[in-house]
């Protein structure tokens, strides 16, 4: 029996957030990002494609993954309704859902592209065609909409679709023994099982996970059939170079040791594996996840929480291959890492999972959206020559609505609960109501985190009782002090969490002080691009230099080993942020000679570093995370 298998997240609907760092982001998501993304889906034809009026020769042609963009928008908008009722938004959702329902075929099938563009090719190219991937996002949208509104208008449609999928796929005679080339439906089916209680959806998820990578390889079989029908394999050369590692089907999942292939696909697969490990108490899946986690964090994780260095496969390459200027680090991949880390945290309440979740959230995820909520990064490099900027939208628009749905449900990631235990993972000002089995518990956080490390937690049980409050001491924090009702305490620590067990009464207060100096961070020596370089981190935030603060040619700056870092709260930087100032050496050019025998002259200059998540929100220019060290 897994020790923490009963641990479950506190839903975001039971959490309120009033936080200096996050509230502006969440407000922009509601007021700007979600309405803006609907307009983009409308003007680009994604919404109208649901009318099934497309004819050959019409432009634009409904793409194979357009349905997923609509689904993620529905999910984000539904999460918003759950915490902020809006009659106009709810009516718009009803309108889009009615279009989706009208697009469903008599047998339950629901996919815009394969209904009007290639109607004869349903389920013939699972490797590349994204049908089950789109179905997965539709499932998540339906679950979110039902939970937010209580309406079954989309849920019933999607249950019909999933029943069609369950009839189509499986190990029985007459069924296809396939699975999707882009994982997503596996984790979505677990969510559908939770809201419906129908075991067949959990079993279907387990089937897709267990069948993956088995021999004879399904993708070989379906390709052979397509070639026999006279089709060409348009992606033959690409798949020859990336192999089945690209979609993590190179081995059965329990035999996989290394994180490989397309990063987003990997994160969604591992999330589903963790879900099933929790639901089925399957230690073999848990152990596989732990092996893969170790490989990622020890050899393939950017300091920002970004993952996947290569644009060729939108994913992983070899160990320690972490280039900076060419880093792909897709926003969706960092979001997927948050999903996986959160699930691992509920298998084993260990700080290492929460630390990575926090690193991604505060750096590699929210860098993907501008402060005004209307521009987006697909790729998140750690160095830029000034040519990289957020875009209004993308032809492949997976990242914008993915950010929107994560931010709309951000409260999910702060707390967990189980009988007689409350767990605090993240430090975010606001309140939450937890269910400890025998009674409700209110927790209220007051903090300016991550700008400082002072956290005040008020504990208000309905009745005085003995229970545990587990509080994470972040891995970046070398020293923490704790007081309860003003008295210093030295709590026990387990897997990076401080354990406070006592008789709690209304009005009790935990005061946590997390020592938060500026730290120099060095990469493993095998990360070639970072040799001789240092990154600056304060609390959970990774810092960078921007040209707007420091002039151009940032790579000519050298950080002295004796540099003294001044921390200043700057009110006009992103509505308030801590910037770091220090003196650095700048390499100077003496004359026009290309080469010389003398060491270059240096001058001392004042330098300012800002949080990486804020870059490219002011004047465009160069950016650098890993700095040369003198």
């Amino acid at each position: 029996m897994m020790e923490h298998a009963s641990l479950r997240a506190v839903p975001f609907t039971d959490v309120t957030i009033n936080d200096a760092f996050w509230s502006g982001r969440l407000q922009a998501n509601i007021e700007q990002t979600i309405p803006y993304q609907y307009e983009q889906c409308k003007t680009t034809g994604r919404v109208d494609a649901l009318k099934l009026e497309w004819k050959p020769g019409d432009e634009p042609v409904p793409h194979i993954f357009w349905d997923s963009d609509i689904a993620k928008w529905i999910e984000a908008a539904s999460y918003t309704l759950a915490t902020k009722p809006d009659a106009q938004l709810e009516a718009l959702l009803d309108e889009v859902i009615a279009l989706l329902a009208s697009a469903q075929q008599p047998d339950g099938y629901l996919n815009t592209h394969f209904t009007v563009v290639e109607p004869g090719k349903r389920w013939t190219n699972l490797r590349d065609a994204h049908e089950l991937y789109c179905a997965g996002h539709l499932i998540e949208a339906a679950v979110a909409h039902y939970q937010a509104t209580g309406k079954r208008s989309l849920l019933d449609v999607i249950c019909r679709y999933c029943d069609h999928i369950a009839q189509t796929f499986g190990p029985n005679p007459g069924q296809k023994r396939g699975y999707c080339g882009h994982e997503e439906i596996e984790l979505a089916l677990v969510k559908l099982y939770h809201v419906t209680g129908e075991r067949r959806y959990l079993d279907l998820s387990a089937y897709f996970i267990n069948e993956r990578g088995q021999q004879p390889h399904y993708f070989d079989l379906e390709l052979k059939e397509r070639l026999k029908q006279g089709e060409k394999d348009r992606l033959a050369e690409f798949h020859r170079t990336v192999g089945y590692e690209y979609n993590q089907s190179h081995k059965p999942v329990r035999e996989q040791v290394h994180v490989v292939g397309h990063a987003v696909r990997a994160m969604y697969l591992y999330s589903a594996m963790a879900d099933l490990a929790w639901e089925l108490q399957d230690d073999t899946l848990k152990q596989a996840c732990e092996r893969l986690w170790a490989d990622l964090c020890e050899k393939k994780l950017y300091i920002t929480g970004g993952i996947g260095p290569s644009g060729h496969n939108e994913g992983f390459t070899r160990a320690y291959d972490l280039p900076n200027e060419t880093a792909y680090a897709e926003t969706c991949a960092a979001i997927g890492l948050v999903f996986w880390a959160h699930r691992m945290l509920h298998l084993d309440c260990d700080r290492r999972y929460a630390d990575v979740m926090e690193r991604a959230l505060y750096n590699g995820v929210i860098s993907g959206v501008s402060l005004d909520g209307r521009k987006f990064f697909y790729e998140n490099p750690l160095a830029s020559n000034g040519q990289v900027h957020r875009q209004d939208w993308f032809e492949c628009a997976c990242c914008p609505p993915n950010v929107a749905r994560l931010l709309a449900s951000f409260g999910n990631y702060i707390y967990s609960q189980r009988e007689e235990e409350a767990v605090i993972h993240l430090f975010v000002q606001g309140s939450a109501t937890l269910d400890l089995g025998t009674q409700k518990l209110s927790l209220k956080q007051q903090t300016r985190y991550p700008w400082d490390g002072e956290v005040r937690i008020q504990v208000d049980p309905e009745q005085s009782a003995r229970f545990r409050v587990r509080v994470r001491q972040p891995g970046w924090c070398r020293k923490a002090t704790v007081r309860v009702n003003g008295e210093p305490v030295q709590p026990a620590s387990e897997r990076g969490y401080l354990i406070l067990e006592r008789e709690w009464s209304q009005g009790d207060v935990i005061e946590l002080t997390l020592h938060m100096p500026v730290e120099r961070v060095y990469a493993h020596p095998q990360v070639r691009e970072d040799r001789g370089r240092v990154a600056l981190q304060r609390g959970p935030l990774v810092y960078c230099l921007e040209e707007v603060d420091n002039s151009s040619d940032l790579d000519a700056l050298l950080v002295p080993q004796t540099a003294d870092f001044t921390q200043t709260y700057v009110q006009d930087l992103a509505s308030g942020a801590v910037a770091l100032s220090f003196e650095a050496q700048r390499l100077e050019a003496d004359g026009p000679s290309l080469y010389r025998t003398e060491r270059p002259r240096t001058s001392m200059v004042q330098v300012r570093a800002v949080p990486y998540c804020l870059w490219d929100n002011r004047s465009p220019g160069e950016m650098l995370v890993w700095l040369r060290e003198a």
Side-chain angles (χ1 to χ4, degrees):
M1 180 73 174
M2 299 176 196
E3 181 182 352
H4 289 281
S6 60
L7 194 66
R8 62 196 189 281
V10 175
F12 72 93
T13 49
D14 292 333
V15 178
T16 61
I17 296 171
N18 180 23
D19 183 81
F21 184 88
W22 286 104
S23 290
R25 297 264 187 183
L26 303 185
Q27 185 176 354
N29 191 54
I30 293 172
E31 296 179 358
Q32 298 294 329
T33 307
I34 292 173
Y36 174 75
Q37 289 179 359
Y38 172 78
E39 289 304 319
Q40 289 288 345
C41 286
K42 180 70 174 176
T43 58
T44 57
R46 286 163 166 81
V47 175
D48 288 341
L50 298 172
K51 298 175 182 178
L52 306 183
E53 296 173 348
W54 181 88
K55 300 181 296 297
D58 290 350
E59 292 292 342
V61 180
H63 200 278
I64 57 173
F65 46 66
W66 270 11
D67 290 358
S68 68
D69 298 332
I70 296 289
K72 281 184 278 189
W73 176 81
I74 291 173
E75 186 180 354
S78 297
Y79 290 150
T80 297
L81 284 184
T83 54
K84 188 179 179 182
D86 182 327
Q88 187 174 354
L89 179 60
E90 186 169 359
L92 185 59
L93 272 169
D94 289 343
E95 181 182 319
V96 175
I97 288 168
L99 282 176
L100 267 170
S102 70
Q104 187 165 37
Q105 300 303 291
D107 61 356
Y109 184 82
L110 179 55
N111 185 288
T112 303
H113 177 89
F114 285 98
T115 299
V116 296
V117 181
E118 297 184 282
K121 295 183 180 179
R122 282 193 200 178
W123 310 129
T124 59
N125 186 359
L126 299 183
R127 186 191 70 182
D128 304 322
H130 288 65
E131 282 170 279
L132 290 171
Y133 166 82
C134 288
H137 278 302
L138 287 169
I139 293 167
E140 290 198 87
V143 169
H145 182 255
Y146 172 70
Q147 290 177 326
T149 66
K151 298 178 181 178
R152 298 188 62 96
S153 51
L154 184 56
L155 185 67
D156 287 343
V157 167
I158 296 309
C159 285
R160 280 190 63 214
Y161 189 16
C162 288
D163 291 342
H164 166 81
I165 293 169
Q167 291 171 358
T168 304
F169 296 97
N172 300 318
Q175 291 183 303
K176 295 176 179 289
R177 296 201 62 157
Y179 42 84
C180 194
H182 194 314
E183 303 92 328
E184 215 288 330
I185 192 172
E186 300 86 352
L187 67 87
L189 285 165
V190 177
K191 290 186 176 184
L192 187 61
Y193 160 68
H194 285 163
V195 298
T196 64
E198 295 291 346
R199 175 75 186 210
R200 64 182 182 276
Y201 300 134
L202 183 66
D203 292 342
L204 183 57
S205 174
Y207 160 77
F208 283 133
I209 291 293
N210 293 330
E211 190 67 22
R212 193 169 207 86
Q214 300 291 346
Q215 295 296 329
H217 202 291
Y218 184 79
F219 294 159
D220 290 337
L221 299 178
E222 70 168 11
L223 176 59
K224 183 178 179 180
E225 185 61 29
R226 291 202 307 276
L227 294 176
K228 191 165 67 175
Q229 297 299 321
E231 286 190 41
K232 293 182 179 180
D233 186 5
R234 290 173 290 181
L235 295 176
E237 180 59 23
F238 173 75
H239 283 289
R240 187 189 66 78
T241 62
V242 298
Y244 282 140
E245 286 84 357
Y246 174 69
N247 48 45
Q248 299 81 39
S249 65
H250 56 298
K251 293 180 181 179
V253 297
R254 291 170 179 79
E255 298 175 18
Q256 296 187 25
V257 177
H258 301 295
V259 172
V260 297
H262 189 281
V264 179
R265 299 174 199 232
M267 294 304 104
Y268 289 172
L269 171 64
Y270 307 153
S271 293
M273 289 166 62
D275 274 342
L276 290 171
W278 197 98
E279 295 291 342
L280 304 176
Q281 292 293 283
D282 188 330
D283 277 320
T284 63
L285 282 175
K286 179 174 183 285
Q287 290 161 12
C289 283
E290 289 171 340
R291 290 193 304 270
L292 293 163
W293 183 271
D295 183 59
L296 175 71
C297 294
E298 293 170 9
K299 300 174 182 177
K300 298 170 182 174
L301 178 67
Y302 279 104
I303 190 174
T304 57
I307 53 175
S310 170
H312 175 62
N313 65 346
E314 295 187 301
F316 301 102
T317 54
R318 62 186 183 277
Y320 306 112
D321 181 28
L322 295 167
N324 295 310
E325 193 166 346
T326 61
Y328 198 71
E330 184 182 339
T331 300
C332 279
I335 292 168
L337 178 57
V338 171
F339 295 161
W340 185 28
H342 191 234
R343 286 161 166 83
M344 294 300 291
L345 196 51
H346 290 87
L347 287 176
D348 190 354
C349 191
D350 192 311
R351 176 178 71 192
R352 60 188 172 138
Y353 302 123
D355 282 351
V356 169
M357 180 174 76
E358 180 182 67
R359 181 177 295 278
L361 282 168
Y362 279 84
N363 300 283
V365 169
I366 56 171
S367 61
V369 59
S370 61
L371 288 171
D372 67 7
R374 295 173 70 90
K375 289 186 181 295
F376 310 93
F377 276 142
Y378 199 104
E379 306 166 34
N380 293 271
L382 282 74
S384 169
N385 63 4
Q387 302 303 309
V388 178
H389 307 293
R390 293 181 184 86
Q391 303 297 311
D392 296 333
W393 196 245
F394 306 96
E395 183 177 352
C396 175
C398 53
C399 295
N402 223 356
V403 170
R405 69 177 182 141
L406 175 61
L407 290 177
S409 59
F410 173 68
N412 273 342
Y413 301 94
I414 303 172
Y415 304 95
S416 293
Q417 59 195 4
R418 65 187 306 197
E419 189 171 343
E420 299 182 351
E421 184 169 273
V423 186
I424 301 172
H425 305 299
L426 302 177
F427 305 109
V428 179
Q429 181 160 295
S431 61
T433 301
L434 285 72
D435 183 357
L436 301 191
T438 57
Q439 65 169 317
K440 299 291 185 181
L441 167 67
S442 172
L443 294 178
K444 297 176 184 175
Q445 287 196 56
Q446 288 181 281
T447 183
R448 293 180 68 251
Y449 188 93
W451 309 129
D452 69 41
E454 299 293 331
V455 184
R456 184 181 188 272
I457 305 163
Q458 183 170 320
V459 182
D460 289 321
E462 291 177 320
Q463 299 176 345
S464 296
R466 187 174 188 85
F467 55 86
R468 291 179 301 279
V469 177
R470 222 178 256 261
V471 184
R472 180 175 65 103
Q473 179 177 344
W476 56 258
C477 179
R478 312 287 177 251
K479 178 184 177 183
T481 60
V482 184
R483 293 176 179 268
V484 176
N485 297 333
E487 296 296 321
V489 297
Q490 292 186 327
S493 179
E494 183 179 55
R495 296 174 185 168
Y497 282 77
L498 305 174
I499 302 172
L500 298 161
E501 183 169 3
R502 67 192 298 273
E503 183 89 8
W504 296 95
S505 300
Q506 288 192 9
D508 285 345
V509 173
I510 302 167
E511 294 172 283
L512 178 66
T513 300
L514 303 170
H515 189 50
M516 193 183 280
V518 178
E519 291 199 312
R520 296 169 181 252
V521 182
Y522 299 92
H524 190 286
Q526 290 191 46
V527 182
R528 295 180 301 170
E529 291 82 356
D530 297 338
R531 290 172 183 162
R533 294 181 180 267
V534 62
L536 303 179
Q537 181 173 306
R538 181 178 180 271
L541 295 174
V542 174
Y543 278 70
C544 69
L545 305 187
E546 282 197 272
E547 183 178 336
V548 65
D549 299 311
N550 303 288
S551 75
S552 61
D553 200 10
L554 299 178
D555 211 34
L557 295 170
L558 308 177
V559 183
Q561 294 185 358
T562 57
D564 183 25
F565 301 101
T566 301
Q567 307 169 30
T568 306
Y569 187 79
V570 181
Q571 189 63 51
D572 63 356
L573 178 62
S575 300
V578 172
L580 309 179
S581 300
F582 58 97
E583 275 200 320
Q585 299 173 16
R586 178 180 283 280
L587 296 171
E588 302 289 357
D590 291 324
S593 298
L594 183 59
Y595 302 105
R596 66 193 66 226
T597 56
E598 299 85 13
R599 184 182 295 273
R601 178 176 60 86
T602 63
S603 61
M604 298 303 295
V605 295
Q606 193 71 16
V607 172
R608 183 162 90 162
V610 300
Y612 171 80
C613 62
L614 301 180
W615 87 276
D616 197 44
N617 275 285
R618 298 175 290 165
S619 299
E622 295 180 25
M623 181 276 292
L624 191 63
V625 170
W626 287 97
L627 315 176
R628 295 184 184 275
E629 192 169 50

